[in-house]
Amino acid sequence: MTSSARTSASALSPASVPSTGPARPDASGAGVVTATASKPVLSGGTVDLEAFEQALGDPFDPSAPLSFARSAESDRREQFPADMCRLLDRLGMPSLYVPVEHGGALARYDELTAAVRSVARRDLTLAVGHAKTFLGGVCVWLAGRPEQARALGADIVAGVPVAWGLTEHGHGSDLLAGTMQARRDGDGYRVRGEKWPINNATRGDLICLLVRTRPEGGPRGFSLLLVDKRRLPHDRYRHLPKVPTHGIRGADISGLAMDDCPVPAGALVGTEGGGLETVLKALQLTRTVCTALSLGAADQALRITVEHAARRGLYGRTMVDLPHVRRALGRAHAALFTAEVVSVFAARAVHTMPEELSVISAVAKAYVPSRVDELIMTCEELLGVRGFLADYHEHGAFQKLHRDHRVVGVFDGSTFVNRHSLISQFTLLARGHARITANPAGVEGAADLTAALPTPRMHRLSLTARGGCGLTQGLAGAAADLRGLTADGRAPARLADLADELNGHCERLHEELALCPPSSQFAPPEAFTLARRFELCFAGAAALRVWLHNAAAGHDGLWLEACLVHVLQSLRPARTAADEAVFDRLFDALRTGAPVAPPTTGGGL
Amino acid sequence: MNGSESDPLEPGLGHWLRERVAHYAQREPAEIDPSANLTSYGLDSVYALSLCGDIEDRLGLVLEPTVAWDHPTIEALAAHVEGMLTDARRPQDAG
């Protein structure tokens, strides 16, 4: 190991803003990138995320290995981007799906999310299709036998795709309703039933299946089987056809049907009856990682939109100079920065406070995709008809990412499912907040980007955050720290005012959480609103913490101010003009190339 | 170890658990059968985890959040917790 996921602090955003010089090379410069593209830059020995980003090339360039032009073609033909997947394999991307102890390169979850974001900012379908292998493997990392994990790790590093078979027709997110059944038969199992719709069900040589092992089901009635299709009798299973989809059209969204198929006993992952528990813990990791898909989509949407606005002349001015455009783009950057801070904080929290990940991952997976959906809508408005045309503008990249991103808020636990998971922890959140029971060191370690990350201690993952949420519990303290900095001019007073306001919202929210009656199966709409407010308080608190623990000399707090105003606007009844001006200032600063992005921003386009 | 111990270490544990389950299920305690599976009251698997926090809070024990999955009735849960209390208090008794 390894270079940090945190590379040059300002690479993404200034480059995505036009006035900073040549944001992209000419087509003629691309051959160089392609030539260096096949060397592994991600492996057990080195994780060089900047080299990875470089090797992927500039998607605006049609001859780059991952270009909007190629992606558009796969999408139009609804064809799996197999060539592009092979390139990612050659660069060593699969090794990031495998923990170091099982033969891979995954030592830091912020590195995995940064790599997924790099791919997603070029082609979301590709990122969804490739990174699925991480989802397929994660249960084995958590609960598998050492030799089982080692063998799977070797397969994945060699480029073997792995799928994760959870959902079934008609049951959706209700995992306990699953009917695929495994019954003991001699030394192994006989498996019967269907999994559908499953990402990579057909391509995946291996699939980790959640199966019913007690006829009556229940939380201890399910188990996991890591099934190697290469070793199954061919007449005992079949693939269900690829499903036509609105977005990610090239992805292999299909299914698997097993007909009393024999599966060896060694396929069992963990204990019989432990399947649901392992899946719920695994989802905490995968939901955290999935936020990177949204960040990549947001990077792409903003770059396309900003470059368009910089070129487009309107009413004798450049579009980007129109006051409304400037503000909308500033606000969109604030939305991206906030989402990014939440995602990076969550990825680091895997290491520093795994015991809270049931809350943190639910917040991240609910917050990030839904805010990025809004950001994409803003970009769509600014692009006008160009965002709608399939071929005309950047090979129709925008309309593709717009369709592709819709799935991020749906799969791996929808926004609804994640909010429901938060709602079920309201009692713990309220109780923890009243007593400040969570561990503050975990918050600091996640927010301080220079702090070394401990090896993830997966045995500390828990289905509930018994101490509540340390980040929101520490918001009052963080706001007070910021107020302290204003005394000798180290922070603007306006920042402290915003932090106090956020803290006020957070306190009121927790009073309401304490009064919210439990709602086991049918949570009322009001509870979902509370969950959303919790996400906003969490996001603002994460931004504040990251600023406090990483504020370098000369940091004027502009990005933090923009992030706080962004979340407060959704917590307050109405907007005020004084707030909005921060988005103008943010965008103006980005255009000058000043380092105004949060330190969570990795090397980008 | 079962739920009908004559001299429980924690008097009223079963009664209290019944109230907690009734609270989560938003029902009257009288409607809750201590021998019935918690899911029969619509207490879903994720909410059953909340019981763990309540028990920890009341008794100062540390439990697996899945304790109500492995002991899915009030009687079974009470018996399990009684057993844990016995184990937890044994060193003190000896000293």
Side-chain angles (χ1 to χ4, degrees), chain A residues 220 424 431 435 466 518 520, chain B residues 42 44 54 56-57 63 70:
Chain A
R220 289 298 188 209
S424 72
R431 187 190 290 155
R435 299 184 199 164
R466 49 161 63 85
S520 182
Chain B
D44 71 27
D54 290 340
E56 289 184 342
D57 220 39
L63 302 171
D70 295 315

Side-chain angles (χ1 to χ4, degrees), chain A residues 367-536:
Chain A
Y367 181 86
V368 175
S370 52
R371 296 325 287 258
V372 170
D373 272 334
E374 292 168 13
L375 182 156
I376 291 172
M377 276 170 61
T378 299
C379 292
E380 185 183 27
E381 280 175 28
L382 294 175
L383 285 170
V385 74
R386 277 159 203 80
F388 206 65
L389 300 174
D391 304 316
Y392 178 73
H393 193 68
E394 302 301 349
H395 309 276
F398 187 84
Q399 58 82 30
K400 175 179 177 297
L401 85 87
H402 185 281
R403 280 185 286 107
D404 285 357
H405 187 260
R406 292 287 301 280
V407 79
V408 181
V410 175
F411 66 20
D412 204 47
S414 64
T415 304
F416 172 85
V417 165
N418 282 291
R419 290 197 173 140
H420 203 277
S421 162
L422 272 181
I423 291 166
S424 72
Q425 297 181 78
F426 276 176
T427 310
L428 293 171
L429 289 171
R431 187 190 290 155
H433 197 82
R435 299 184 199 164
I436 315 285
T437 48
N439 171 16
V443 176
E444 194 172 325
D448 178 355
L449 305 178
T450 61
L453 289 177
T455 303
R457 284 151 294 175
M458 294 309 180
H459 63 276
R460 283 173 58 198
L461 289 175
S462 171
L463 298 190
T464 57
R466 49 161 63 85
C469 174
L471 179 63
T472 46
Q473 288 172 24
L475 177 56
D481 288 350
L482 182 61
R483 179 66 68 189
L485 293 175
T486 62
D488 55 2
R490 283 183 291 162
R494 171 148 178 72
L495 273 188
D497 293 345
L498 291 168
D500 285 343
E501 187 186 344
L502 181 69
N503 184 47
H505 281 286
C506 189
E507 292 303 315
R508 281 193 295 283
L509 169 67
H510 281 83
E511 287 163 18
E512 292 178 57
L513 293 184
L515 297 173
C516 184
S519 43
S520 182
Q521 281 171 323
F522 305 105
E526 293 76 15
F528 287 89
T529 307
L530 292 174
R532 182 164 180 277
R533 284 167 55 196
F534 183 82
E535 294 155 22
L536 290 160

